[in-house]
Amino acid sequence: MYVVKSPLSDSDLKTVSEALQGALVDLVDLSLVAKQIHWNVVGPRFRSVHLQLDEVVDTARLHSDTVAERASTLGVSPDGRAATVAQTSGIGAVHEGWVKDVDAVRALVDALGAVITRMRERINATGDADPVSQDIFIGITADLEKHHWMFQAENG
């Protein structure tokens, strides 16, 4: 059932919808990973890392909504269900239990790096198919790369 008709051709819509769905899953998972670590971080840098993790959560949640609404705008039903996120996210598993601040930072560097790599692939894939979606991916990637830089500097 199509409720909203996309202005894109079928082939472009397929490319863009796959990119949007992948981005949605990665962003939802990034917010969950960052929040899980946020709740469990311990160590001398607890407070600064704890607060920095919430900034990532806020960024991921904001952008996940933008991505989901872009998909809806194009007539594609976004899927942010837990099972879908668990099956298709590009982020690796997170350590269970308490996490030392240095390990928390390392985990976020890895998670952000994985999402950024996939986001850059989406930028390339959507350039011709839908520059509007590509622009969204560019903005998201810029924000994630800033977080990535800041977390890398934590353990510099």
Side-chain angles (χ1 to χ4, degrees), residues 9-154:
S9 70
D10 288 345
S11 64
D12 286 348
L13 182 60
K14 182 179 185 320
T15 298
V16 174
S17 66
E18 288 172 0
L20 289 166
Q21 179 58 39
L24 176 61
V25 164
D26 284 351
L27 290 165
V28 168
D29 199 22
L30 180 61
S31 72
L32 295 171
V33 164
K35 198 50 123 165
Q36 177 66 26
I37 295 170
H38 165 90
W39 293 323
N40 287 284
V41 66
V42 295
R45 295 181 298 159
F46 162 79
R47 182 164 172 73
S48 64
V49 173
H50 182 80
L51 295 174
Q52 193 174 356
L53 287 161
D54 263 345
E55 293 174 8
V56 173
V57 171
D58 291 345
T59 297
R61 287 179 178 168
L62 174 70
H63 287 309
S64 65
D65 193 52
T66 299
V67 165
E69 288 181 358
R70 179 65 184 160
S72 294
T73 298
L74 296 175
V76 176
S77 175
D79 186 356
R81 297 173 301 157
T84 302
V85 172
Q87 291 171 359
T88 60
S89 173
I91 300 174
V94 176
H95 175 74
E96 183 180 327
W98 303 116
V99 182
K100 289 187 174 197
D101 51 9
V102 69
D103 296 329
V105 169
R106 191 173 302 114
L108 252 290
V109 168
D110 292 347
L112 285 162
V115 175
I116 289 165
T117 296
R118 288 166 51 115
M119 207 61 73
R120 286 187 162 275
E121 291 168 0
R122 294 175 186 118
I123 290 169
N124 291 332
T126 57
D128 291 332
D130 183 24
V132 176
S133 294
Q134 182 192 45
D135 186 56
I136 291 169
F137 294 136
I138 290 168
I140 292 168
T141 303
D143 287 349
L144 295 178
E145 286 178 345
K146 184 174 181 181
H147 287 299
H148 194 234
W149 156 58
M150 291 183 173
F151 273 102
Q152 290 179 79
E154 283 279 334

